[in-house]
Amino acid sequence: MCAPGKLIAMGRLGFSTTESARLLLLSVFGLLALSVVLAEQEGENLSGLSNNPDKAIFAVRENGTTCLMVEFAVKFLVPYDVLALNRIDLITEQASFTLPRNAEIEGKCGSTESEIHITWKNVAYTLRIYFSKEFRDKDIEVWKISKVQFVYDTSETSHFINAYNPGKHTASTHRLSALVTPAGRSFLCTAQQTLTLISTDHQKGVTLSMYDTQIQPFDIASDFMFSEPYQCITDQRERLEETLPLVLGFILGLIIVITVTVYHFHLKLTAAQPQLPRDRSMYKNM
């Protein structure tokens, strides 16, 4: 038989072990809960800061700091079927609408992958944009839009009138690599950027057009502030087309001024030289 002292000691030891395990579990759960809190991400709608009634500004924040930001105007062109007048045939109509400024925002930020989800009209419409980082030639790091997905409900009658067999459909891009931008910079483009998405509604093509765009999904240095912009090729070309006539006009004007100036000096030099008589016979008679 064990002595009473030993039983008491073992009981105390068992109690201590149980308490230690309980404390360890509480610590683990506490750390997990803390990591979730620390990684908390939220979306913010900043569209009220824009004077353009068509432009929306959305941000995703992590731990109180902006980690993803988009500013753009978006237009959708969505085909859908309606019954013809004979109530037998189907004809295709086009629903045209823009992204509203009062949408709800969600998103996720990561070191190499980020995404933003924009929802409106009681989840009748959801636009999801996915971003990723990669290395290109000469080990240059860039980011890009890797996927765009648009969920729409043709039973929503403000845009889809008398839709045949209404319901939700999803339109997606395939193997997308759009808006390729050097890492650490924002993409800036005034010109329209158009993407075609293929819908689950009989493979119809949904057109998404973005304009007045500035986007940065990674490496935002200052809160609510875009980093140095990388201007799109279309804007660079348009700016060149705008400035080229001015440059050519300036060069032509400069050539004209130089020509007139040289001619003016030529006339002065010619007038200063002594004029010899054309009839030189008088010199022979002297």
Side-chain angles (χ1 to χ4, degrees):
M1 292 181 63
C2 294
K6 289 185 177 181
L7 287 174
I8 293 171
M10 289 177 66
R12 288 178 178 172
L13 182 60
F15 177 78
S16 300
T17 304
T18 304
E19 287 297 319
S20 299
R22 189 176 299 172
L23 288 172
L24 180 60
L25 287 174
L26 288 174
S27 300
V28 170
F29 283 120
L31 288 172
L32 289 175
L34 181 61
S35 65
V36 170
V37 171
L38 290 175
E40 183 180 358
Q41 298 174 341
E42 58 181 355
E44 288 200 25
N45 190 329
L46 308 173
S47 301
L49 301 176
S50 175
N51 296 324
N52 186 340
D54 297 325
K55 184 184 287 188
I57 306 174
F58 305 128
V60 178
R61 291 165 61 78
E62 183 178 61
N63 301 331
T65 303
T66 306
C67 56
L68 189 157
M69 196 166 172
V70 299
E71 179 177 351
F72 53 16
V74 182
K75 183 177 180 180
F76 301 90
L77 193 62
V78 184
Y80 67 102
D81 292 331
V82 298
L83 277 175
L85 293 176
N86 61 11
R87 312 301 296 177
I88 298 175
D89 298 325
L90 292 177
I91 58 176
T92 301
E93 297 286 352
Q94 298 277 358
S96 178
F97 50 92
T98 58
L99 175 66
R101 289 156 57 99
N102 61 347
E104 297 180 0
I105 313 304
E106 291 182 353
K108 297 178 182 178
C109 292
S111 57
T112 58
E113 293 185 352
S114 296
E115 59 191 71
I116 185 169
H117 302 176
I118 307 169
T119 305
W120 67 100
K121 282 279 185 181
N122 297 320
V123 201
Y125 305 95
T126 301
L127 175 63
R128 302 186 184 104
I129 306 176
Y130 299 86
F131 306 91
S132 63
K133 269 184 176 181
E134 64 180 28
F135 284 93
R136 292 286 176 96
D137 297 337
K138 300 179 181 179
D139 292 333
I140 298 175
E141 190 176 25
V142 299
W143 65 260
K144 65 178 182 179
I145 295 180
S146 55
K147 184 179 179 181
V148 176
Q149 193 175 69
F150 179 52
V151 180
Y152 60 98
D153 192 345
T154 54
S155 62
E156 200 282 304
T157 56
S158 64
H159 299 307
F160 300 96
I161 302 171
N162 299 323
Y164 176 76
N165 194 20
K168 278 202 170 184
H169 303 283
T170 302
S172 304
T173 56
H174 297 278
R175 298 181 181 178
L176 182 63
S177 180
L179 278 55
V180 178
T181 303
R185 298 176 67 176
S186 63
F187 174 85
L188 178 65
C189 196
T190 303
Q192 180 173 297
Q193 308 287 312
T194 301
L195 301 174
T196 300
L197 290 66
I198 304 302
S199 174
T200 54
D201 182 14
H202 299 90
Q203 301 297 301
K204 290 182 173 64
V206 174
T207 302
L208 183 152
S209 300
M210 300 182 295
Y211 51 97
D212 289 338
T213 304
Q214 189 163 13
I215 297 177
Q216 187 171 358
F218 303 100
D219 307 318
I220 296 179
S222 301
D223 206 18
F224 296 122
M225 295 287 292
F226 288 108
S227 300
E228 179 187 357
Y230 173 78
Q231 196 169 37
C232 65
I233 301 298
T234 308
D235 278 6
Q236 294 179 22
R237 188 182 300 116
E238 288 182 355
R239 178 171 293 184
L240 179 62
E241 291 175 355
E242 290 175 357
T243 56
L244 188 59
L246 297 176
V247 173
L248 291 177
F250 174 78
I251 294 174
L252 181 60
L254 188 63
I255 291 173
I256 293 173
V257 169
I258 293 174
T259 303
V260 171
T261 303
V262 170
Y263 180 70
H264 178 71
F265 277 107
H266 173 72
L267 289 179
K268 277 192 172 183
L269 290 174
T270 304
Q273 290 179 356
Q275 298 293 324
L276 296 176
R278 293 181 179 179
D279 187 4
R280 299 186 181 184
S281 59
M282 62 179 61
Y283 293 100
K284 293 180 180 181
N285 295 330
M286 290 180 64

PDB file of all heavy atoms in Angstrom, residues 132-145:
ATOM      1  N   SER A 132      -1.913  39.207 -58.962  1.00  0.00           N
ATOM      2  CA  SER A 132      -0.790  38.345 -58.598  1.00  0.00           C
ATOM      3  C   SER A 132       0.523  39.000 -58.999  1.00  0.00           C
ATOM      4  O   SER A 132       0.561  39.867 -59.882  1.00  0.00           O
ATOM      5  CB  SER A 132      -0.910  36.971 -59.268  1.00  0.00           C
ATOM      6  OG  SER A 132      -0.846  37.098 -60.687  1.00  0.00           O
ATOM      7  N   LYS A 133       1.589  38.581 -58.306  1.00  0.00           N
ATOM      8  CA  LYS A 133       2.941  39.040 -58.623  1.00  0.00           C
ATOM      9  C   LYS A 133       3.703  37.924 -59.318  1.00  0.00           C
ATOM     10  O   LYS A 133       3.463  36.741 -59.072  1.00  0.00           O
ATOM     11  CB  LYS A 133       3.690  39.416 -57.339  1.00  0.00           C
ATOM     12  CG  LYS A 133       3.565  40.857 -56.902  1.00  0.00           C
ATOM     13  CD  LYS A 133       4.449  41.071 -55.687  1.00  0.00           C
ATOM     14  CE  LYS A 133       4.448  42.515 -55.254  1.00  0.00           C
ATOM     15  NZ  LYS A 133       5.341  42.714 -54.082  1.00  0.00           N
ATOM     16  N   GLU A 134       4.625  38.330 -60.163  1.00  0.00           N
ATOM     17  CA  GLU A 134       5.487  37.338 -60.821  1.00  0.00           C
ATOM     18  C   GLU A 134       6.748  38.023 -61.297  1.00  0.00           C
ATOM     19  O   GLU A 134       6.834  39.254 -61.332  1.00  0.00           O
ATOM     20  CB  GLU A 134       4.762  36.688 -62.007  1.00  0.00           C
ATOM     21  CG  GLU A 134       4.423  37.640 -63.126  1.00  0.00           C
ATOM     22  CD  GLU A 134       3.704  36.962 -64.282  1.00  0.00           C
ATOM     23  OE1 GLU A 134       3.013  35.946 -64.049  1.00  0.00           O
ATOM     24  OE2 GLU A 134       3.840  37.455 -65.419  1.00  0.00           O
ATOM     25  N   PHE A 135       7.749  37.197 -61.645  1.00  0.00           N
ATOM     26  CA  PHE A 135       8.996  37.719 -62.188  1.00  0.00           C
ATOM     27  C   PHE A 135       9.000  37.527 -63.701  1.00  0.00           C
ATOM     28  O   PHE A 135       8.691  36.447 -64.207  1.00  0.00           O
ATOM     29  CB  PHE A 135      10.201  37.014 -61.561  1.00  0.00           C
ATOM     30  CG  PHE A 135      10.502  37.479 -60.162  1.00  0.00           C
ATOM     31  CD1 PHE A 135       9.972  36.814 -59.069  1.00  0.00           C
ATOM     32  CD2 PHE A 135      11.291  38.594 -59.959  1.00  0.00           C
ATOM     33  CE1 PHE A 135      10.236  37.233 -57.787  1.00  0.00           C
ATOM     34  CE2 PHE A 135      11.577  39.028 -58.674  1.00  0.00           C
ATOM     35  CZ  PHE A 135      11.044  38.356 -57.586  1.00  0.00           C
ATOM     36  N   ARG A 136       9.345  38.575 -64.416  1.00  0.00           N
ATOM     37  CA  ARG A 136       9.447  38.525 -65.868  1.00  0.00           C
ATOM     38  C   ARG A 136      10.913  38.456 -66.278  1.00  0.00           C
ATOM     39  O   ARG A 136      11.787  38.139 -65.478  1.00  0.00           O
ATOM     40  CB  ARG A 136       8.765  39.761 -66.478  1.00  0.00           C
ATOM     41  CG  ARG A 136       7.236  39.789 -66.289  1.00  0.00           C
ATOM     42  CD  ARG A 136       6.564  38.799 -67.206  1.00  0.00           C
ATOM     43  NE  ARG A 136       5.125  38.720 -67.018  1.00  0.00           N
ATOM     44  CZ  ARG A 136       4.231  39.386 -67.756  1.00  0.00           C
ATOM     45  NH1 ARG A 136       4.647  40.196 -68.721  1.00  0.00           N
ATOM     46  NH2 ARG A 136       2.942  39.227 -67.538  1.00  0.00           N
ATOM     47  N   ASP A 137      11.187  38.790 -67.533  1.00  0.00           N
ATOM     48  CA  ASP A 137      12.554  38.745 -68.058  1.00  0.00           C
ATOM     49  C   ASP A 137      13.490  39.612 -67.217  1.00  0.00           C
ATOM     50  O   ASP A 137      13.101  40.663 -66.706  1.00  0.00           O
ATOM     51  CB  ASP A 137      12.573  39.226 -69.512  1.00  0.00           C
ATOM     52  CG  ASP A 137      11.760  38.303 -70.413  1.00  0.00           C
ATOM     53  OD1 ASP A 137      11.579  37.148 -70.034  1.00  0.00           O
ATOM     54  OD2 ASP A 137      11.300  38.769 -71.477  1.00  0.00           O
ATOM     55  N   LYS A 138      14.741  39.158 -67.097  1.00  0.00           N
ATOM     56  CA  LYS A 138      15.790  39.859 -66.356  1.00  0.00           C
ATOM     57  C   LYS A 138      15.421  40.031 -64.890  1.00  0.00           C
ATOM     58  O   LYS A 138      15.809  41.016 -64.245  1.00  0.00           O
ATOM     59  CB  LYS A 138      16.090  41.225 -67.005  1.00  0.00           C
ATOM     60  CG  LYS A 138      16.566  41.127 -68.444  1.00  0.00           C
ATOM     61  CD  LYS A 138      16.822  42.498 -69.041  1.00  0.00           C
ATOM     62  CE  LYS A 138      17.263  42.393 -70.486  1.00  0.00           C
ATOM     63  NZ  LYS A 138      17.492  43.726 -71.102  1.00  0.00           N
ATOM     64  N   ASP A 139      14.622  39.082 -64.372  1.00  0.00           N
ATOM     65  CA  ASP A 139      14.243  39.076 -62.949  1.00  0.00           C
ATOM     66  C   ASP A 139      13.548  40.369 -62.524  1.00  0.00           C
ATOM     67  O   ASP A 139      13.732  40.839 -61.398  1.00  0.00           O
ATOM     68  CB  ASP A 139      15.477  38.830 -62.070  1.00  0.00           C
ATOM     69  CG  ASP A 139      16.007  37.408 -62.247  1.00  0.00           C
ATOM     70  OD1 ASP A 139      15.198  36.519 -62.586  1.00  0.00           O
ATOM     71  OD2 ASP A 139      17.216  37.208 -62.051  1.00  0.00           O
ATOM     72  N   ILE A 140      12.758  40.932 -63.428  1.00  0.00           N
ATOM     73  CA  ILE A 140      11.978  42.130 -63.091  1.00  0.00           C
ATOM     74  C   ILE A 140      10.644  41.690 -62.490  1.00  0.00           C
ATOM     75  O   ILE A 140       9.888  40.945 -63.113  1.00  0.00           O
ATOM     76  CB  ILE A 140      11.745  42.995 -64.342  1.00  0.00           C
ATOM     77  CG1 ILE A 140      13.089  43.488 -64.901  1.00  0.00           C
ATOM     78  CG2 ILE A 140      10.835  44.177 -64.018  1.00  0.00           C
ATOM     79  CD1 ILE A 140      12.963  44.243 -66.202  1.00  0.00           C
ATOM     80  N   GLU A 141      10.347  42.161 -61.277  1.00  0.00           N
ATOM     81  CA  GLU A 141       9.109  41.787 -60.607  1.00  0.00           C
ATOM     82  C   GLU A 141       7.984  42.718 -61.034  1.00  0.00           C
ATOM     83  O   GLU A 141       8.153  43.950 -61.042  1.00  0.00           O
ATOM     84  CB  GLU A 141       9.283  41.827 -59.088  1.00  0.00           C
ATOM     85  CG  GLU A 141       8.103  41.207 -58.342  1.00  0.00           C
ATOM     86  CD  GLU A 141       8.315  41.167 -56.840  1.00  0.00           C
ATOM     87  OE1 GLU A 141       9.101  41.994 -56.335  1.00  0.00           O
ATOM     88  OE2 GLU A 141       7.696  40.318 -56.174  1.00  0.00           O
ATOM     89  N   VAL A 142       6.858  42.136 -61.388  1.00  0.00           N
ATOM     90  CA  VAL A 142       5.697  42.910 -61.827  1.00  0.00           C
ATOM     91  C   VAL A 142       4.450  42.358 -61.135  1.00  0.00           C
ATOM     92  O   VAL A 142       4.463  41.260 -60.590  1.00  0.00           O
ATOM     93  CB  VAL A 142       5.503  42.844 -63.362  1.00  0.00           C
ATOM     94  CG1 VAL A 142       6.702  43.424 -64.089  1.00  0.00           C
ATOM     95  CG2 VAL A 142       5.229  41.406 -63.815  1.00  0.00           C
ATOM     96  N   TRP A 143       3.386  43.155 -61.156  1.00  0.00           N
ATOM     97  CA  TRP A 143       2.076  42.637 -60.752  1.00  0.00           C
ATOM     98  C   TRP A 143       1.109  42.790 -61.919  1.00  0.00           C
ATOM     99  O   TRP A 143       1.351  43.575 -62.839  1.00  0.00           O
ATOM    100  CB  TRP A 143       1.555  43.336 -59.498  1.00  0.00           C
ATOM    101  CG  TRP A 143       1.259  44.812 -59.627  1.00  0.00           C
ATOM    102  CD1 TRP A 143       2.045  45.849 -59.234  1.00  0.00           C
ATOM    103  CD2 TRP A 143       0.058  45.398 -60.163  1.00  0.00           C
ATOM    104  NE1 TRP A 143       1.432  47.049 -59.501  1.00  0.00           N
ATOM    105  CE2 TRP A 143       0.195  46.807 -60.062  1.00  0.00           C
ATOM    106  CE3 TRP A 143      -1.113  44.888 -60.702  1.00  0.00           C
ATOM    107  CZ2 TRP A 143      -0.787  47.699 -60.490  1.00  0.00           C
ATOM    108  CZ3 TRP A 143      -2.101  45.775 -61.136  1.00  0.00           C
ATOM    109  CH2 TRP A 143      -1.931  47.152 -61.024  1.00  0.00           C
ATOM    110  N   LYS A 144       0.023  42.033 -61.872  1.00  0.00           N
ATOM    111  CA  LYS A 144      -0.934  42.044 -62.969  1.00  0.00           C
ATOM    112  C   LYS A 144      -2.308  41.625 -62.457  1.00  0.00           C
ATOM    113  O   LYS A 144      -2.447  41.103 -61.338  1.00  0.00           O
ATOM    114  CB  LYS A 144      -0.489  41.082 -64.071  1.00  0.00           C
ATOM    115  CG  LYS A 144      -0.493  39.623 -63.611  1.00  0.00           C
ATOM    116  CD  LYS A 144      -0.108  38.659 -64.725  1.00  0.00           C
ATOM    117  CE  LYS A 144      -0.181  37.205 -64.251  1.00  0.00           C
ATOM    118  NZ  LYS A 144       0.155  36.252 -65.321  1.00  0.00           N
ATOM    119  N   ILE A 145      -3.323  41.873 -63.262  1.00  0.00           N
ATOM    120  CA  ILE A 145      -4.634  41.274 -63.017  1.00  0.00           C
ATOM    121  C   ILE A 145      -4.599  39.884 -63.628  1.00  0.00           C
ATOM    122  O   ILE A 145      -4.404  39.728 -64.833  1.00  0.00           O
ATOM    123  CB  ILE A 145      -5.771  42.110 -63.637  1.00  0.00           C
ATOM    124  CG1 ILE A 145      -5.867  43.474 -62.946  1.00  0.00           C
ATOM    125  CG2 ILE A 145      -7.103  41.379 -63.523  1.00  0.00           C
ATOM    126  CD1 ILE A 145      -6.973  44.360 -63.508  1.00  0.00           C
TER     127      ILE A 145
END
